[in-house]
Amino acid sequence: MIAAPPPGFMDTPLAALAWTGIHMSPWKLIGLVGALMFGGRWLVQFIASKRHGKPVIPRLFWYMSILGSLMTLAYFIFGKNDAVGILQNLFPSFTACYSLYLDIRHRGWKRDRAGH
């Protein structure tokens, strides 16, 4: 029988959260923050569209998409080792990077407030 390796720092519950009764590893924290960021991009899009009175996708939407996808992808690759989660988060990161590239090419690097 082969013994499992001892858990590393990233798999050990965070001691700083022990007083709350929450047992969360750094990988789980990265995954949750990534999921919140990826989901929170829709709130950013909603607020921008409400301000403009028409559908708008601000550049922050793409940044949040990329960062959220990469964080959840890292969680599923290194923390959970789950093929479904890896596939689910692999493709959105590529499409978000390409969309950000198109946005920068269309509106310029520093022109986030340009016409949508």
Side-chain angles (χ1 to χ4, degrees), residues 74-85:
Y75 167 72
F76 282 113
I77 290 173
F78 303 112
K80 192 90 168 139
N81 197 9
D82 180 10
V84 174

Side-chain angles (χ1 to χ4, degrees), residues 44-59:
V44 167
Q45 194 269 337
F46 172 79
I47 292 169
S49 294
K50 186 138 177 75
R51 284 185 183 160
H52 287 86
K54 64 180 181 177
V56 171
I57 300 178
R59 193 167 289 165

Side-chain angles (χ1 to χ4, degrees), residues 41-115:
R41 67 198 175 118
W42 293 110
L43 181 62
V44 167
Q45 194 269 337
F46 172 79
I47 292 169
S49 294
K50 186 138 177 75
R51 284 185 183 160
H52 287 86
K54 64 180 181 177
V56 171
I57 300 178
R59 193 167 289 165
L60 180 58
F61 179 90
W62 300 120
Y63 289 129
M64 290 176 74
S65 296
I66 294 166
L67 191 57
S69 278
L70 292 177
M71 289 176 78
T72 53
L73 183 62
Y75 167 72
F76 282 113
I77 290 173
F78 303 112
K80 192 90 168 139
N81 197 9
D82 180 10
V84 174
I86 292 169
L87 285 175
Q88 180 180 352
N89 291 284
L90 184 62
F91 297 114
S93 57
F94 287 120
T95 57
C97 285
Y98 183 69
S99 295
L100 177 62
Y101 163 75
L102 291 176
D103 185 58
I104 291 170
R105 195 176 86 184
H106 175 72
R107 294 191 290 166
W109 183 251
K110 295 184 181 184
R111 297 192 45 170
D112 189 32
R113 298 199 181 268

